[in-house]
Amino acid sequence: RRRAVGRAFPLAPAIALLAVFLLGPVIWSVYGSLTSAALTGPGAANPEFIGFENYTTLLTDPDFPNALLLTVIFLLASAVIGQNLLGLALAILMAQAPKVVRSFVGTTVVSAWVLPEIVAAFACYAFFSQDGTLNAVLGITGVEGPNWLFAYPMFAIILANIWRGTAFSMMIYEAALNDVAPEITEAAVIDGAGGWKRLLFVTLPVIRNSISTNLMLITLQTLSVFTLIFVMTSGGPNQKSTTLPLFAYFEAFGLGKVGYGTAIATVMLLIGAVFSLIYIRVLKPGKD
């Protein structure tokens, strides 16, 4: 026990910082969701403890199921499928590509990730708007493109988020693939395993810890995406792209119901926890 305490002692400052700046705000947020806090009126001066009233109201809110469904669609399509699979594919291809190609592709992909979010959001808005770059390119081929932000808002923001965040997954998987022992791959080749079999039965099992970590990180990042959607569509048209972050913002700061908006944010926290537990459960290391 003394040795365990001695090894843990250097971590005490980090644990204290996490408790103050991470756990503390979470606890305060959960408490705020149980109050009648507001921007104006009695709830602004003296918020009262109302228990789970905000959550019961949320469950009967007709706009909540739509925001929840759009959030899950946005999360699965742009992060779990889009960023994750595209990042893995780019990492595998770049591992076998010439140095010039790796440098060009790496710089191109990472440039979208290092841009400030507001700059990336306006760039995507300019790309998908009625008179934007995408329709200009389609016009060269004689195809008249629609107003993507109005006709297909979710499609536009999903593609924008994939473009914005794929570089993170690519770098995670590049580092993971570099740690795969060449002896394992060479043994699989000798046993007659083709490219797809090596990927499915050798490479992916070896890097599954990295897959789990990447999925958790991009899930949490995507759950908190606000600026990209707000700039491109503002949740419209007719709430067709209103995810939970925008729903919480409109309720808390648009209508002044801070406690209610905080309850929505707490639901987002629970969604992130559920996805994290699923990743840990499905991708946990096996006995082999």
Side-chain angles (χ1 to χ4, degrees), residues 17-34 55 220 259 262-273:
L17 290 174
L18 287 174
V20 172
F21 294 104
L22 181 61
L23 184 60
V26 170
I27 295 175
W28 184 254
S29 175
V30 173
Y31 172 75
S33 69
L34 304 176
Y55 293 96
L220 297 178
T262 308
I264 300 172
T266 305
V267 172
M268 293 167 50
L269 182 66
L270 294 176
I271 294 174

Side-chain angles (χ1 to χ4, degrees), residues 149-259:
L149 299 176
F150 184 83
Y152 308 101
M154 284 302 297
F155 177 74
I157 63 175
I158 285 172
L159 288 184
N161 194 52
I162 292 174
W163 168 76
R164 170 98 169 97
T166 297
F168 181 81
S169 297
M170 182 189 72
M171 291 186 292
I172 290 288
Y173 288 131
E174 276 186 324
L177 291 174
N178 289 333
D179 291 336
V180 177
E183 295 80 6
I184 301 177
T185 305
E186 292 173 0
V189 173
I190 293 174
D191 290 338
W196 285 106
K197 287 186 177 180
R198 291 199 304 272
L199 175 63
L200 294 176
F201 299 108
V202 178
T203 304
L204 294 184
V206 171
I207 66 171
R208 59 185 164 190
N209 285 341
S210 297
I211 296 175
S212 177
T213 301
N214 180 65
L215 284 172
M216 282 192 289
L217 292 175
I218 63 175
T219 294
L220 297 178
Q221 290 172 353
T222 302
L223 273 175
S224 62
V225 170
F226 174 83
T227 305
L228 187 71
I229 304 175
F230 188 79
V231 170
M232 291 182 65
T233 65
S234 294
N238 196 24
Q239 297 186 344
K240 290 183 179 180
S241 60
T242 300
T243 56
L244 287 177
L246 274 77
F247 186 40
Y249 172 81
F250 293 144
E251 293 292 333
F253 300 104
L255 301 179
K257 299 184 289 185
V258 177

Side-chain angles (χ1 to χ4, degrees), residues 87-110:
L88 178 61
L90 287 174
I92 293 174
L93 293 175
M94 288 178 64
Q96 304 173 357
K99 185 177 180 180
V100 176
V101 176
R102 289 201 305 269
S103 301
F104 175 77
V105 174
T107 303
T108 303
V109 175
V110 173

